[in-house]
């Protein structure tokens, strides 16, 4: 290469094209054969060592690094794409989503805004999501990197809109005010991080107890609001759950909307996965009232099956996001014409300035599959959860640990004679052995001091036979561990 003409583009485009085609073929083979692979494979020590490399000052070339990827990275993922991965609430991607991400990276548009085709695609996606969530046309929205980011930015909007003073200018520290936010004890941990980050402090998070159905106790919420006001606190926001992370419980969102209306509080809904139940006519009643929220956050990389990462924050009041985040700078000024005509609307509605073209995979997937097909797969996941719950309920050695209102099943192997302490130890070991077996990957949670295997159904690849295979493996491994534990006791 001549001095002064350096670039990172390939020297030989034909050679790179062949490698790129191989990459695509290999990934498609990988996706097409997922079912034949173990869900999870422990990494051999030699592979760990191979990845512990010094900083490469001189490059080895694309061909060789791709070989390292196929040997040392591709065979050892987390497993979340696999049809029998049920852990946490993890996305599993689609081949079309993967290719859309490649196209998005290929053109790498700067998604602060700019009024060209990529911005119109993102704005169209937001309009569709507004419609799907039952929000008014005037609502605004922004795509984010995940539920934590969407929720946290939603809380920032709530704080700024309800503080009653110019919090952007004055900050919280001098105000002497104790702004408080209310959410059930089952709310995901993003909220703890968010109150810390937004300067509200942990003490501002007022946790409201749940009923036996693990939905927030609305009368307790009203009581706490009254007492807190008397004590000089200033409630500004209630966070409702559409699908809690532990059990998939959905709060009474209509009732929460009424509480918030009566008390002039901001109503935010964390619908990380549950909000998407609204896309199905059959499931919509479960999240009834979500459309009344002031803001709602949901992931598209969970129950819309998109590759990581993409989520969305919608805010009902048209300019509330701008009033929270818009900032001006001479070097970012808009113009009537030219590249920056239309300004930087996405940067102004959220925290990120440079943003990736997350919208492309959502746009392509919605157009290619249609909402109806996605909604049917969501329904299929709910049916699979119900099937697992039935199998567990009908088996003398298995026990449900929580109700199953949506797509999450918490259960345990519970041989009739076992004591509570032994059951926890037994199921902890069972979980690890099950994961290590490569047959299925649930995660776990603890409910009422009971350790539970936790299965979230958010995978479009899961089939009925996978649910049966999971139950068989739990029984087989559980019985072996239990008999070994019994031997230890005698
Ligand atoms: C209910 C709920 N809220 C928030 C989150 C956080 O979302 P993310 O992991 O996309 O940041 C999750 C993640 O599982 C969740 O289940």
């Amino acid at each position: 290469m001549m001095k002064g003409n350096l670039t990172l583009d390939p020297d030989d485009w034909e050679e790179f094209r062949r490698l790129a085609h191989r990459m695509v073929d290999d990934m498609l083979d990988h996706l097409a054969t997922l079912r034949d692979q173990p869900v999870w494979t422990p990494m051999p020590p030699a592979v760990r060592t191979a990845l512990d490399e010094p900083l490469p000052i001189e490059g080895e070339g694309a061909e060789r690094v791709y070989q390292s990827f196929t040997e040392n990275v591709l065979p050892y993922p987390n497993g979340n794409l696999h049809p029998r991965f049920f852990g946490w609430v993890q996305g599993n991607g689609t081949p079309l989503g993967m290719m859309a991400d490649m196209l998005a990276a290929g053109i790498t548009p700067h998604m602060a805004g700019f009024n060209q085709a990529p911005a119109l695609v993102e704005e169209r996606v937001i309009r569709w999501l507004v419609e799907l969530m039952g929000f008014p046309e005037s609502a605004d929205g922004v795509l984010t990197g995940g539920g934590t980011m969407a929720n946290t930015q939603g809380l920032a909007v709530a704080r700024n809109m309800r503080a009653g003073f110019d919090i952007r200018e004055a900050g919280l520290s001098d105000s002497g005010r104790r702004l408080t936010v209310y959410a059930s004890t089952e709310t995901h941990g993003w909220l703890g991080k968010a109150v810390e980050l937004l300067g509200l402090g942990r003490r501002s998070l007022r946790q409201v107890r749940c009923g036996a159905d693990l939905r927030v106790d609305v009368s307790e919420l009203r009581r706490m609001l009254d007492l807190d006001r008397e004590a000089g606190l200033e409630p500004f926001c209630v966070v409702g759950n559409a699908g809690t992370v532990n059990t998939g419980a959905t709060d009474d969102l209509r009732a929460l909307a009424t509480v918030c209306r009566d008390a002039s509080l901001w109503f935010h809904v964390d619908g990380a996965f549950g909000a998407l139940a609204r896309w199905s006519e059959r499931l919509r009643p479960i999240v009834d009232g979500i459309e009344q929220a002031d803001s709602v956050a949901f992931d598209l990389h969970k129950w819309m099956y998109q590759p990581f990462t993409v989520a969305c924050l919608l805010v009902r009041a048209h300019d509330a996001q701008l009033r929270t985040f818009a900032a001006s700078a001479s070097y970012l000024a808009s113009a009537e014409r030219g590249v920056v005509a239309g300004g930087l609307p996405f940067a102004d509605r959220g925290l990120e300035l440079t943003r990736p073209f997350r919208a492309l995979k959502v746009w392509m997937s919605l157009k290619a599959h249609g909402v109806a097909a996605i909604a049917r797969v969501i329904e299929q996941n709910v049916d699979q959860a119900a099937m697992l719950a039935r199998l567990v309920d009908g088996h003398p050695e298995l026990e449900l640990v929580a109700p199953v209102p949506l797509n999450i099943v918490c259960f345990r192997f519970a041989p009739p004679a076992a004591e509570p302490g032994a059951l926890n130890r037994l199921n902890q070991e069972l979980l690890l052995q099950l994961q290590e077996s490569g047959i299925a990957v649930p995660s776990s949670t603890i409910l009422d001091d009971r350790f539970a295997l936790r299965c979230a159904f958010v995978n479009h690849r899961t089939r009925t036979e996978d649910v049966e295979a999971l139950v068989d493996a739990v029984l087989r491994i559980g019985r072996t561990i239990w008999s070994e534990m019994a031997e230890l006791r005698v």
Side-chain angles (χ1 to χ4, degrees), residues 88-90 145-149 151 188-190 241-245 270-273 299 301-302 311 454:
W88 303 274
V89 192
Q90 297 201 3
T148 299
M149 288 306 295
N151 276 305
H188 188 277
W190 70 265
N241 287 296
T244 57
V245 61
D270 173 9
F273 56 94
D299 284 301
H301 62 212
K302 288 192 167 74
R454 180 182 158 287

Side-chain angles (χ1 to χ4, degrees), residues 104 107-123 126 142-143 343-349 352-360:
I107 60 172
T108 308
H110 192 293
M111 293 305 294
F114 302 100
N115 199 18
Q116 288 293 100
L120 299 190
V121 166
E122 178 145 350
E123 195 53 49
I126 290 168
V142 71
L143 298 184
L344 307 175
F346 305 122
D348 281 345
R349 288 184 212 160
E352 288 180 299
L353 175 60
T354 303
R355 306 168 60 257
F357 194 12
R358 296 184 183 104
L360 185 64

